[in-house]
Amino acid sequence: MPNSRTSPLVSLCTATCARPHTIGRPDLLRESLAGLLAQTYSPLEVLVLVDGDSRDAIELLKTITDTRFRWMTTPGPSGWAGSWNRVCREAKGKYILFCADDDVLLPNAVDEQVRLLESHPEVGFCHADLIYIDDDGAELGRWISHRGRFIDRGLDAWPDYLVATGCSMPSVVIRRDLWLMVGGWDDAGNPSDNALYLKLLRHSAVGHVDRMTCKYRFRVRTPDSWARQFRNLREYYALAMKHLADPPEPFSGSISRLTRQVLNRLVRDGVALRMSAPDERSRAELRDWLDRHVWRYTAFGCACRFLDRLHALGLVSAAHVVNLMCRQSAKWVLIRTLRRSAL
């Protein structure tokens, strides 16, 4: 257990509101709060923001008497980014961790990250391994880094994070002064964890500890709507193009190669999303967007556009499309598709 007289203060933050998957499920917030308050680390403070009218949440918070705990409300909904930023600005700790109101921290969620951060002042944030759970808390799987404990330079990790998010929010401990310097989460659109990490990596290194620290909940019964997933796709595109147009200095990698990797990810995600479109109008809207912004700019994209047209003509099945798009090789996709359609 850390020495509370010499260890830095850590702030655990969360924000809650009446969201579709938490309405009628006060047990989710109760479980999340129990995880926050069960930490072995000291000194610690736990902050909760109730964003707008959530009477169930307020009644629950009134029952908590822990001296490390404080909570606040907003007069009306301020949105995800607004509420996340507000509660973290209220934090007093040297380090902050934000946990969603349906995720659960394990008792040792910050100890090892703080040790790494205290030993390596060049590291701005540190993440850990985690457990995936469903709505009812059943384990779905685990994310465990094959690299174990490591530290990466920000400029080395930045391109990898641009292509795919490298960590998950409830496992991340961040230096509060660095978080304030980069401005927290972006207020425009859906607050992306990765947008924050990309800003942090421009100024600091990132660390990882080989410790299981949290349970990340997947909303199996109430997943994001198709429209929301399409919006997320467009927002990832905008975020990636923004960073590609202004890479950190001095970035020595190939911007053209990194752009191709980003676009190929969009190709895969876009084709998979198109397969699940709720109606023909939505499918056509997504296809037009992919055609304008993604498909034509890489060989893999052109191959998948050709594959998509064959699927529209009934020459290949949806399952075949998904199987082939997972292969990031234009030549492989075209050869297998032409062979299948010729049968």
Side-chain angles (χ1 to χ4, degrees):
M1 181 176 292
N3 187 335
S4 60
R5 293 184 178 181
T6 59
S7 299
L9 177 66
V10 172
S11 300
L12 304 181
C13 306
T14 190
T16 189
C17 62
R19 292 189 283 160
H21 71 286
T22 58
I23 291 176
R25 291 294 305 273
D27 55 309
L28 296 183
L29 176 59
R30 185 178 295 108
E31 184 182 6
S32 184
L33 290 174
L36 295 174
L37 294 168
Q39 294 306 304
T40 58
Y41 184 88
S42 180
L44 187 80
E45 67 170 354
V46 176
L47 292 81
V48 179
L49 174 72
V50 180
D51 190 35
D53 183 19
S54 182
R55 296 180 182 178
D56 288 344
I58 291 174
E59 291 303 313
L60 173 60
L61 298 179
K62 287 180 178 178
T63 67
I64 299 176
T65 59
D66 195 306
T67 57
R68 303 170 300 171
F69 179 77
R70 54 193 174 100
W71 61 280
M72 62 214 74
T73 63
T74 61
S78 54
W80 284 8
S83 62
W84 297 0
N85 285 329
R86 178 167 177 176
V87 70
C88 289
R89 288 193 190 101
E90 293 289 332
K92 299 177 181 178
K94 181 178 180 180
Y95 302 109
I96 59 175
L97 179 149
F98 185 89
C99 179
D101 61 352
D102 57 348
D103 294 332
V104 183
L105 298 187
L106 299 177
N108 59 347
V110 300
D111 304 61
E112 287 299 318
Q113 289 98 312
V114 171
R115 288 193 185 97
L116 185 146
L117 289 162
E118 287 289 283
S119 301
H120 298 276
E122 77 279 10
V123 177
F125 65 106
C126 181
H127 57 95
D129 302 329
L130 63 142
I131 301 169
Y132 295 121
I133 59 174
D134 65 11
D135 302 78
D136 299 319
E139 183 173 330
L140 298 172
R142 299 191 172 202
W143 186 89
I144 301 174
S145 172
H146 68 280
R147 298 174 60 192
R149 186 184 180 97
F150 65 84
I151 294 175
D152 283 337
R153 288 196 323 136
L155 291 180
D156 293 335
W158 178 82
D160 295 332
Y161 274 68
L162 192 61
V163 176
T165 304
C167 54
S168 187
M169 185 166 59
S171 78
V172 180
V173 178
I174 307 173
R175 294 185 187 273
R176 183 172 176 270
D177 58 354
L178 179 61
W179 181 90
L180 288 169
M181 186 185 77
V182 302
W185 287 275
D186 296 332
D187 289 322
N190 183 34
S192 165
D193 303 342
N194 211 33
L196 173 61
Y197 305 146
L198 287 168
K199 291 193 293 184
L200 296 173
L201 288 169
R202 288 173 176 263
H203 303 280
S204 76
V206 55
H208 175 85
V209 296
D210 50 348
R211 177 74 66 88
M212 202 68 64
T213 63
C214 64
K215 297 179 181 180
Y216 181 91
R217 195 180 305 272
F218 276 103
R219 293 171 288 171
V220 178
R221 284 197 289 268
T222 55
D224 289 340
S225 67
W226 188 89
R228 169 73 177 278
Q229 294 178 60
F230 185 20
R231 187 175 76 226
N232 290 346
L233 188 74
R234 298 195 302 270
E235 288 176 351
Y236 167 68
Y237 170 82
L239 173 69
M241 293 303 108
K242 173 185 174 182
H243 279 270
L244 287 168
D246 181 28
E249 295 291 342
F251 177 66
S252 59
S254 168
I255 290 297
S256 60
R257 179 180 179 182
L258 184 56
T259 301
R260 186 165 61 251
Q261 292 174 328
V262 167
L263 291 173
N264 283 341
R265 172 193 161 172
L266 284 161
V267 169
R268 294 195 307 274
D269 292 351
V271 173
L273 187 59
R274 193 163 182 266
M275 293 297 105
S276 63
D279 51 57
E280 189 55 43
R281 180 178 178 180
S282 300
R283 190 175 295 110
E285 180 184 3
L286 174 56
R287 185 185 187 284
D288 290 344
W289 184 87
L290 290 169
D291 210 24
R292 288 196 310 273
H293 298 288
V294 179
W295 277 347
R296 66 183 64 187
Y297 297 106
T298 70
F300 180 65
C302 290
C304 286
R305 177 171 57 176
F306 174 67
L307 181 63
D308 182 79
R309 289 175 177 172
L310 290 180
H311 173 255
L313 294 172
L315 297 177
V316 293
S317 67
H320 186 59
V321 172
V322 173
N323 179 47
L324 290 181
M325 76 155 183
C326 293
R327 311 285 183 146
Q328 212 169 33
S329 164
K331 181 178 179 180
W332 196 93
V333 169
L334 287 173
I335 290 174
R336 291 296 298 269
T337 300
L338 291 172
R339 183 180 297 169
R340 174 70 64 89
S341 60
L343 296 177

